[in-house]
Amino acid sequence: MFSLEGITTSVQDWLFMKFNPTMALAMECVIVILLAISLFAILGLVLVLMERKVAAHIQIRLGPNRVGPGGMFQTVADTLKLIMKEGLVPDMADKFLFNLAPFVVMMVGMLLLAPIAFAKNFQIWDINIGVLYISSVSSLSVIGILMAGWASNNKYSLLGAMRSGAQIVSYELSAGFAVLTIVVLTGSLQISEIVKAQENGWWIFKGHIPAIIAFVLYIIAVTAETNRAPFDLAEAESELTAGFHTEYSGMRFALFFLAEYINIFIVCAIGATLFFGGWMPLHIGNWAAFNHIMDYIPSSVWFMGKTFFLIFLIMWFRWTFPRLRVDQLLNLEWKYLLPISLFNLLLVAIIAILGWHF
Amino acid sequence: MYNQTEILKDTSELGADGELVINMGPQHPATHGVLHLVVTLNGETIKKIEPHLGYIHRSIEKMCESLTYRQFIYVTSRMDYLSSHINNLGCALLVEKGMAIEVPDRAKYVRVILSELTRIASHELWLGAMAMDLGAFTPFFYAFREREMITDIMEDTCGARLTMNYIVPGGLMYDIHPDFQKKVKAFITQFKSKVTEYEDLVTNNVIFQSRTKGVGILTAEDAISYGCTGPVARASGVSCDIRKLYPYEVYDKVEFDEVLETAGDSFARYIVRVKEMNQSIRIIEQLIDNIPEGDFVGKTKNVLKLPKGEFYTRVETARGEFGVFVVSEGGTTPHRIKFRSPGFSNLSALNHIAAGSKIGDLMASMGTLDLVIPDIDR
Amino acid sequence: MGAISLIALLIAAIAFSAGGILVGKILVKGSKNPQKGQAYECGIPTDSSPWHQFNVGYYLFALLFLIFDVELVFLYPWAVVVKKVGMVALIEIIVFIFILFMGFLYAHKKGALKWS
Amino acid sequence: MTNEEIKEYISTLAPAATFDETGEWLNILVEPTALKPLMSALRTGKMQMNYLFCLTCVDFKTHLTMVYHLSATTHRQSIVIKANLNRDAPVIETVCDIWRTAEFLEREVFEMFGVNFTNHPDLRKLILEDDFKGFPLRKDFEDPINMIKL
Amino acid sequence: MFLKEYIADVVNGVSSLLKGMRKTGYYFVHPKEIITEQYPDNRATLLMSERFKGEVVMPHDAQNEHACTGCTACELACPNGTIKVVTKFEVSPEGKKKKAIDALVYRLELCTMCNLCVVACPSDAIKMAPNFEHSVFDRTKLTKVLNQPGSKIREGIE
């Protein structure tokens, strides 16, 4: 049975055996670069196709079904189209920032990959402050969006960027509090520790009420942070045409588009790690046989399954709800989510101290 | 690197308080057509909206001056293309009134049924488009599924899906399709079973309600002063349903309620339209089994000539009161024709109801005014 | 792998983005057209630049965020040790959050959370 | 109110008015100068004509005629007010401070017929381009490029 | 009470959202409800209403005969000048001169499908056909001559 478990260590061992340490490290870096790039490319293609298929089925349509079997290569064709398009830069734009913005957005997405545990022992960097690292790096993405909106010298872009700035920073708070809930329960910021703590039950079950509240808060907050409907005010189509990326075309637009989906993947991966036990299989109490069968499913499948479930949830939101207005959006955060988050944090602290969680 | 960029411009040259003038349209996803709004913004708040029209002005009024009374009816299909049948009806009624042409009952019944179907189709499209303006894409497809059934009925009977061109002065161009009654009944069942979906997805949705309630309030007095008609005025509590006030065809024989709301906000306009669809269904149900047998077209002269004088008819389209004003010199063509289009008056209220609200509210206000641009530009 | 992986990932990001844009540049022979350089404003030429002072509404939220985010960072170390320290940590954090909440209520009362 | 009563009432407001009852509604022809006071009186006086449902202009080749269709939402009686204008220099006072719908309708008449509305707050072209020459709905308007004669 | 209202707000809001999600979720798991028509693929089974007004055609029978007398009633009835009847004088075998059409020029790009020409035609020579695939690369191709080359007027139609 194929599993990614142990591959990293064996590759690393092999490299260090064959080459001198510097060389081995360099080789490792190359492998990471290649893996990350291919992951980005594949994720982009898969997620865009998934979005279109989910949207189509919800909207009683078929969705893309012409390119390849069942429309599987539609996104490949779209990417080719975007590559073949001319990347226009408005005359009045701040050209340096305009060109820099997609890079910033991509870098943020890429950096966030580092602490994610894709499978057992398959993690690029198991940093000991993993959760804090994710919080801090993900808040950088707003810079790319602000940069893009400002540099375009377009009124829609600027409005979109401003909205997105206010929105992302606001929702970062409740995302942070939701993450803290799990940190309180686990007592560690390290991703591998958090996953290990869920060996005999995921936090969403073990942490009961506060964990469920935290999960709901987290999902809402990350939907807003990734500028997805119903919080897609930064690119509200009917109001600001395309928001902050109105002026982007060709490959630069594709990078923004890709970054949006990568961000969704990453926040869902983190959500899966925190609340659904990452790559941990589903274990129920002392049903030994059941637990054993579950163990046979590779950890990478577990991880991807959970992540894609959350991604589906976020897509489901998008194709069901209308968009909020900008003041309502901020109201939701500051009047509902934030007080609830604070209250929930206290609740979880009490539960953790008294040991009421399972 | 930054020498090409003036980071902060002097605000004095840009008007007070950093006002931003933004063009919405003609190529904008929310204006549904080529409406051009010049919006003055302060931050997110709208200070002023100024419509610029004429992107698809074809001067239908001038065109009609060179068309005969048989021909000019079909030009009006292209004004408010979503209620083309009702526009045609209004013109035909004018000719019939001017020349005192007797219309057989069968034609009257069919005309009313098709008018109501057109109204439902128009409201369905509006519902989808309005939800889409507010960011909910899915109801659009659900609404279009039902609308598709109506267009199929229209296609069977009228031979066209949008610009029906089914009415001639004196009756109908040809008889209804043999399956007409069966299909309409099938549509009514389908519509009734699916109408709850709009409630789940749109009406009761907390986001939708908060986006539309209290947004774009138009008081009854303003509605009259701005000449608003149709669902827009009825949402403000102004009774203005031509079908009730000045019944034409067989509207005086059917039972239906004029839907009135008092709030005058976007949500009320939404509710009025949804309830109106149900009332239309009610009208159709009363008529569909009772279509009398007989001729579908009355006797008319070969060449229609309106007597010298002035004529005015009005009908209730999906958007409101559609008036046709004809000045005849006694010839075969009108001397002057004026179409009082509901959209034009409704649009004039836009600045009033949207000024002071957010950009997001503009979508709700504009969406619920149900603007069809060819109707405004004519 | 340690922190060096971050450099690797940064390189990956730059390579990915630059690669895509470069491939596009190489493949596409763009045509010159003055209209292509215009900013999009629904087909109407823009008359004024958007680069000027902007409504303060957005910034208020950024300021509030700063306060709360700093507090959030303080909470991280607390969250790690709360289980070990026990009741003392709980009382401490109740006091801390109470003060924070007071600030929040103050901001609310002042109308800073209301969009102007 | 019957037509006779309306006639009497209007005669007190605008003594020079002439009446025509051949059509569906009572037609009242007034002098352009007398139009504005009459309109104000109709709106605020006992007629309460609060609904201007059609405002247009007709080119009779010899003169232009402004046509105002008035109605009231309370008693639902409609009357038509007309005013003949000089074709070379058509000027009439605006009614858009009485009925706000008139603002757009008068702008349309302004560009299509060239009628100047005094005291109109914003008398610009609404539909046509700003540099458009001529008044399309007048009978003598010719546009050899865009108009196809059948 | 404030807190009670606050909680009720949250609960009502969330439940209304869940209702919407249930509806969309229902359609997601019921692919049978899909109504997409695979247009170019289902061309063979595509059902067009026989009344559909797609374009004006002139039916010809097996002997390549039509019923048009060239009376120009359709030309007069048309609001847009879509139809132009070009007539000629045909000499019959008996030496009698007879008016007949040379070409019935139909400009599809001007047509509004109002059906007035069909109604006006005294000999039912033209009718509306349910063709809707009109796209061409050159708009001059939209100007059609309705009578087929070499066609004749059917016997007995005046």
Side-chain angles (χ1 to χ4, degrees):
Chain A
M1 197 164 55
F2 175 75
S3 172
L4 293 167
E5 290 163 28
I7 283 187
T8 38
T9 37
S10 54
V11 168
Q12 199 171 14
D13 289 347
W14 183 78
L15 279 174
F16 276 90
M17 208 170 66
K18 281 271 180 193
F19 305 99
N20 64 38
T22 332
M23 200 56 186
L25 204 63
M27 297 282 273
E28 237 175 36
C29 282
V30 171
I31 292 172
V32 166
I33 290 171
L34 290 179
L35 275 180
I37 288 178
S38 45
L39 180 79
F40 259 45
I42 292 166
L43 270 182
L45 299 180
V46 170
L47 285 176
V48 175
L49 182 69
M50 176 177 165
E51 170 101 299
R52 295 179 68 174
K53 278 289 185 187
V54 168
H57 280 256
I58 281 178
Q59 295 170 346
I60 48 176
R61 298 184 285 125
L62 280 171
N65 64 344
R66 299 276 157 169
V67 190
M72 268 170 68
F73 301 121
Q74 182 66 50
T75 40
V76 180
D78 285 346
T79 316
L80 283 176
K81 180 202 79 176
L82 282 171
I83 289 175
M84 297 302 290
K85 288 219 167 197
E86 192 182 351
L88 296 175
V89 183
D91 290 339
M92 296 295 286
D94 185 333
K95 301 218 167 50
F96 175 70
L97 289 182
F98 187 84
N99 285 314
L100 186 64
F103 283 86
V104 172
V105 174
M106 284 308 273
M107 277 183 211
V108 172
M110 204 58 104
L111 282 179
L112 280 172
L113 285 182
I116 292 176
F118 289 94
K120 204 171 179 178
N121 300 328
F122 192 91
Q123 205 173 357
I124 295 171
W125 183 23
D126 190 13
I127 183 172
N128 56 358
I129 49 160
V131 175
L132 187 60
Y133 170 86
I134 288 165
S135 294
S136 54
V137 174
S138 66
S139 53
L140 291 176
S141 71
V142 70
I143 292 174
I145 289 174
L146 276 175
M147 215 182 256
W150 172 265
S152 298
N153 196 358
N154 178 308
K155 289 160 189 171
Y156 298 121
S157 302
L158 186 73
L159 275 173
M162 286 293 178
R163 282 176 170 197
S164 149
Q167 173 188 336
I168 293 181
V169 296
S170 296
Y171 279 80
E172 207 138 89
L173 290 178
S174 39
F177 277 111
V179 169
L180 267 182
T181 318
I182 301 302
V183 174
V184 168
L185 288 169
T186 315
S188 171
L189 292 169
Q190 203 165 357
I191 295 284
S192 57
E193 291 285 319
I194 291 175
V195 176
K196 208 188 279 170
Q198 307 181 61
E199 205 163 6
N200 43 15
W202 305 342
W203 277 126
I204 190 126
F205 303 133
K206 283 207 296 182
H208 48 91
I209 298 167
I212 290 169
I213 296 177
F215 173 68
V216 172
L217 292 176
Y218 181 81
I219 279 287
I220 295 173
V222 298
T223 314
E225 250 189 279
T226 47
N227 284 326
R228 296 279 300 179
F231 308 102
D232 61 344
L233 288 153
E235 45 198 283
E237 193 200 339
S238 58
E239 295 158 33
L240 305 176
T241 56
F244 65 89
H245 56 53
T246 305
E247 288 296 345
Y248 283 85
S249 57
M251 221 30 218
R252 288 191 194 88
F253 167 73
L255 290 175
F256 272 111
F257 197 62
L258 179 64
E260 187 188 325
Y261 284 94
I262 298 293
N263 278 333
I264 296 164
F265 173 79
I266 286 165
V267 295
C268 288
I270 294 163
T273 309
L274 294 177
F275 297 97
F276 291 92
W279 48 263
M280 276 291 172
L282 177 67
H283 284 180
I284 297 175
N286 41 17
W287 294 11
F290 177 81
N291 293 349
H292 201 64
I293 292 167
M294 286 291 140
D295 283 340
Y296 270 107
I297 300 172
S299 58
S300 52
V301 172
W302 274 110
F303 174 77
M304 282 296 170
K306 291 167 190 174
T307 308
F308 272 81
F309 168 71
L310 290 185
I311 292 172
F312 172 71
L313 207 62
I314 285 182
M315 287 178 180
W316 194 359
F317 290 155
R318 169 162 184 186
W319 299 110
T320 308
F321 302 138
R323 179 182 303 125
L324 282 127
R325 203 170 58 213
V326 64
D327 55 330
Q328 290 166 351
L329 176 97
L330 295 168
N331 245 351
L332 176 71
E333 163 64 20
W334 292 96
K335 296 217 174 113
Y336 291 92
L337 296 190
L338 193 66
I340 294 175
S341 306
L342 283 170
F343 171 75
N344 193 40
L345 189 68
L346 288 181
L347 192 70
V348 81
I350 294 167
I351 283 178
I353 289 163
L354 298 179
W356 282 350
H357 60 89
F358 305 115
Chain B
M1 202 174 292
Y2 284 97
N3 50 9
Q4 56 188 340
T5 310
E6 301 161 60
I7 295 296
L8 275 178
K9 276 201 177 160
D10 188 11
T11 49
S12 58
E13 64 179 84
L14 289 147
D17 307 327
E19 277 177 8
L20 194 63
V21 179
I22 216 169
N23 287 300
M24 287 220 169
Q27 312 293 331
H28 192 276
T31 53
H32 300 298
V34 285
L35 179 62
H36 176 192
L37 300 173
V38 181
V39 184
T40 310
L41 291 175
N42 180 11
E44 286 262 343
T45 313
I46 295 164
K47 296 204 105 172
K48 199 174 81 187
I49 299 172
E50 205 181 297
H52 285 197
L53 303 175
Y55 286 90
I56 43 170
H57 192 270
R58 295 150 296 183
S59 204
I60 286 181
E61 291 171 8
K62 183 90 177 172
M63 275 162 76
C64 289
E65 286 175 16
S66 63
L67 297 178
T68 66
Y69 289 111
R70 250 181 229 290
Q71 291 169 341
F72 90 103
I73 294 174
Y74 307 108
V75 184
T76 59
S77 293
R78 278 154 176 80
M79 285 171 46
D80 181 357
Y81 50 82
L82 292 178
S83 14
S84 57
H85 181 86
I86 312 179
N87 291 350
N88 291 349
L89 178 59
C91 299
L93 283 173
L94 182 122
V95 178
E96 284 152 15
K97 184 158 121 190
M99 300 185 59
I101 299 170
E102 204 46 48
V103 182
D105 269 354
R106 185 178 177 81
K108 283 184 180 173
Y109 273 66
V110 173
R111 280 174 174 191
V112 168
I113 292 170
L114 286 174
S115 296
E116 293 311 312
L117 284 175
T118 310
R119 194 184 315 281
I120 296 171
S122 169
H123 285 343
E124 294 261 19
L125 187 139
W126 161 82
L127 190 139
M130 143 112 198
M132 202 155 79
D133 281 352
L134 295 182
F137 288 81
T138 307
F140 186 77
F141 292 88
Y142 297 169
F144 259 56
R145 175 187 48 195
E146 268 81 72
R147 186 173 181 274
E148 186 65 21
M149 292 191 78
I150 299 180
T151 50
D152 279 348
I153 294 169
M154 295 294 187
E155 191 188 318
D156 274 351
T157 293
C158 313
R161 299 168 73 83
L162 201 63
T163 53
M164 262 66 97
N165 303 345
Y166 185 52
I167 293 179
V168 291
L172 305 168
M173 198 167 263
Y174 26 73
D175 205 359
I176 50 171
H177 195 267
D179 286 347
F180 180 69
Q181 273 141 314
K182 204 177 79 193
K183 283 201 164 179
V184 170
K185 277 180 207 157
F187 163 72
I188 290 172
T189 351
Q190 158 93 358
F191 181 85
K192 280 186 172 165
S193 68
K194 297 290 185 191
V195 78
T196 52
E197 266 167 26
Y198 309 139
E199 270 163 30
D200 284 352
L201 274 174
V202 187
T203 317
N204 293 335
N205 189 301
V206 66
I207 301 175
F208 179 80
Q209 289 197 358
S210 59
R211 278 297 297 276
T212 48
K213 272 190 181 163
V215 169
I217 293 176
L218 184 68
T219 60
E221 205 173 304
D222 285 335
I224 299 168
S225 178
Y226 276 109
C228 296
T229 44
V232 177
R234 287 199 283 280
S236 306
V238 182
S239 160
C240 59
D241 197 331
I242 305 296
R243 295 173 294 172
K244 275 270 182 226
L245 296 174
Y246 313 102
Y248 51 96
E249 303 292 26
V250 288
Y251 280 115
D252 46 353
K253 288 183 199 162
V254 289
E255 263 182 38
F256 69 100
D257 300 329
E258 179 177 5
V259 183
L260 284 176
E261 290 279 325
T262 47
D265 57 0
S266 296
F267 191 69
R269 291 194 278 274
Y270 169 85
I271 287 292
V272 165
R273 288 204 176 86
V274 172
K275 284 188 182 163
E276 238 175 50
M277 284 201 267
N278 293 325
Q279 292 301 327
S280 294
I281 288 282
R282 207 172 133 195
I283 296 173
I284 296 169
E285 277 180 330
Q286 289 172 46
L287 297 178
I288 189 68
D289 284 322
N290 304 321
I291 302 177
E293 295 297 321
D295 283 341
F296 56 85
V297 63
K299 273 252 173 288
T300 52
K301 288 185 197 129
N302 254 351
V303 178
L304 300 178
K305 275 185 185 172
L306 237 61
K308 191 173 159 60
E310 290 168 15
F311 304 92
Y312 190 95
T313 51
R314 37 192 164 184
V315 285
E316 179 80 16
T317 72
R319 258 145 285 276
E321 174 181 337
F322 171 74
V324 190
F325 174 58
V326 168
V327 180
S328 170
E329 299 275 76
T332 54
T333 58
H335 179 75
R336 160 96 173 108
I337 197 158
K338 152 89 187 168
F339 295 113
R340 184 252 186 252
S341 65
F344 194 76
S345 309
N346 289 354
L347 174 73
S348 65
L350 180 63
N351 179 39
H352 176 71
I353 64 172
S357 55
K358 310 279 179 298
I359 304 178
D361 293 338
L362 175 62
M363 299 308 131
S365 310
M366 199 161 71
T368 46
L369 285 184
D370 195 8
L371 304 171
V372 167
I373 314 305
D375 185 35
I376 296 161
D377 269 358
R378 298 196 298 289
Chain C
M1 283 182 80
I4 197 155
S5 64
L6 295 187
I7 294 165
L9 285 170
L10 276 181
I11 294 169
I14 292 168
F16 187 86
S17 323
I21 292 172
L22 272 180
V23 169
K25 275 247 163 75
I26 292 163
L27 285 176
V28 179
K29 234 175 76 189
S31 57
K32 274 266 171 269
N33 183 344
Q35 262 148 11
K36 282 184 175 179
Q38 272 184 12
Y40 173 79
E41 207 179 309
C42 294
I44 306 291
T46 37
D47 56 346
S48 63
S49 163
W51 286 338
H52 63 81
Q53 275 182 358
F54 219 69
N55 187 297
V56 78
Y58 301 103
Y59 303 127
L60 270 179
F61 287 93
L63 284 176
L64 268 177
F65 159 75
L66 263 185
I67 302 161
F68 275 86
D69 208 40
V70 169
E71 310 305 321
L72 190 65
V73 172
F74 284 139
L75 287 176
Y76 271 96
W78 164 82
V80 175
V81 294
V82 64
K83 254 168 138 179
K84 288 174 215 144
V85 178
M87 263 327 195
V88 182
L90 182 69
I91 291 158
E92 265 177 8
I93 210 63
I94 287 174
V95 173
F96 183 81
I97 286 183
F98 179 73
I99 295 168
L100 201 60
F101 205 72
M102 282 294 118
F104 174 74
L105 282 183
Y106 177 75
H108 181 64
K109 197 122 201 229
K110 273 271 168 192
L113 301 178
K114 224 187 239 142
W115 190 269
S116 54
Chain D
M1 267 205 268
T2 61
N3 279 356
E4 291 307 314
E5 281 167 353
I6 297 172
K7 274 191 202 168
E8 227 168 76
Y9 176 62
I10 286 173
S11 298
T12 59
L13 293 167
T18 51
F19 302 95
D20 173 16
E21 281 181 88
T22 48
E24 186 184 358
W25 298 311
L26 179 67
N27 281 307
I28 300 140
L29 184 70
V30 294
E31 287 297 309
T33 45
L35 180 98
K36 185 62 186 282
L38 172 68
M39 289 300 213
S40 310
L42 285 174
R43 171 70 185 85
T44 51
K46 65 173 177 180
M47 292 282 285
Q48 286 291 331
M49 290 294 193
N50 55 1
Y51 178 35
L52 174 76
F53 62 91
C54 187
L55 184 158
T56 188
C57 184
V58 184
D59 182 8
F60 283 108
K61 288 181 185 162
T62 53
H63 59 271
L64 296 173
T65 304
M66 285 298 297
V67 184
Y68 301 82
H69 286 75
L70 292 178
S71 178
T73 48
T74 43
H75 53 79
R76 299 282 169 198
Q77 197 151 23
S78 303
I79 54 170
V80 184
I81 312 277
K82 289 181 181 174
N84 286 341
L85 303 181
N86 183 354
R87 207 159 176 278
D88 301 319
V91 178
I92 196 162
E93 200 162 348
T94 179
V95 293
C96 73
D97 47 344
I98 309 174
W99 300 279
R100 274 181 283 186
T101 178
E103 189 180 337
F104 273 36
L105 291 165
E106 283 181 350
R107 277 174 77 178
E108 197 192 356
V109 170
F110 163 70
E111 63 193 330
M112 294 294 175
F113 289 93
V115 177
N116 264 310
F117 293 92
T118 49
N119 296 334
H120 191 286
D122 188 24
L123 198 62
R124 286 174 299 136
K125 288 195 159 121
L126 176 69
I127 289 167
L128 301 168
E129 300 134 58
D130 288 339
D131 53 355
F132 192 89
K133 291 276 185 303
F135 305 113
L137 283 180
R138 283 196 184 189
K139 286 283 173 187
D140 54 0
F141 178 78
E142 289 292 335
D143 184 350
I145 301 157
N146 296 318
M147 264 167 76
I148 301 166
K149 280 268 182 320
L150 289 178
Chain E
M1 218 185 109
F2 171 73
L3 202 64
K4 207 170 153 191
E5 270 173 32
Y6 183 87
I7 292 169
D9 258 16
V10 173
V11 171
N12 286 341
V14 170
S15 71
S16 84
L17 297 181
L18 287 178
K19 241 186 214 159
M21 283 179 74
R22 200 183 66 188
K23 202 83 241 174
T24 46
Y26 169 83
Y27 281 112
F28 182 74
V29 295
H30 285 76
K32 265 196 198 134
E33 302 263 359
I34 286 176
I35 50 166
T36 310
E37 289 209 20
Q38 301 260 55
Y39 161 56
D41 296 343
N42 68 354
R43 221 198 237 111
T45 56
L46 196 68
L47 214 65
M48 289 302 292
S49 165
E50 77 258 41
R51 279 190 192 175
F52 185 75
K53 293 182 272 197
E55 63 170 330
V56 176
V57 293
M58 184 183 281
H60 288 67
D61 60 13
Q63 286 83 43
N64 202 13
E65 288 175 337
H66 56 74
C68 179
T69 56
C71 67
T72 70
C74 47
E75 192 180 333
L76 289 171
C78 182
N80 314 319
T82 307
I83 295 176
K84 184 102 189 90
V85 182
V86 184
T87 49
K88 61 177 178 191
F89 282 99
E90 233 166 36
V91 185
S92 62
E94 299 96 65
K96 247 166 87 188
K97 265 190 173 180
K98 200 183 163 198
K99 201 169 138 198
I101 51 163
D102 188 22
L104 197 137
V105 184
Y106 169 61
R107 299 184 65 185
L108 180 58
E109 76 266 34
L110 294 181
C111 186
T112 58
M113 319 296 169
C114 67
N115 209 32
L116 278 178
C117 50
V118 178
V119 172
C121 186
S123 55
D124 290 336
I126 48 174
K127 65 167 191 142
M128 282 283 179
N131 310 334
F132 59 97
E133 287 154 325
H134 294 311
S135 32
V136 284
F137 284 104
D138 181 3
R139 69 180 292 172
T140 54
K141 285 187 183 134
L142 291 170
T143 305
K144 298 171 179 178
V145 176
L146 291 188
N147 51 328
Q148 285 170 11
S151 62
K152 276 205 309 246
I153 184 165
R154 202 173 294 139
E155 287 299 312
I157 287 170
E158 285 307 318

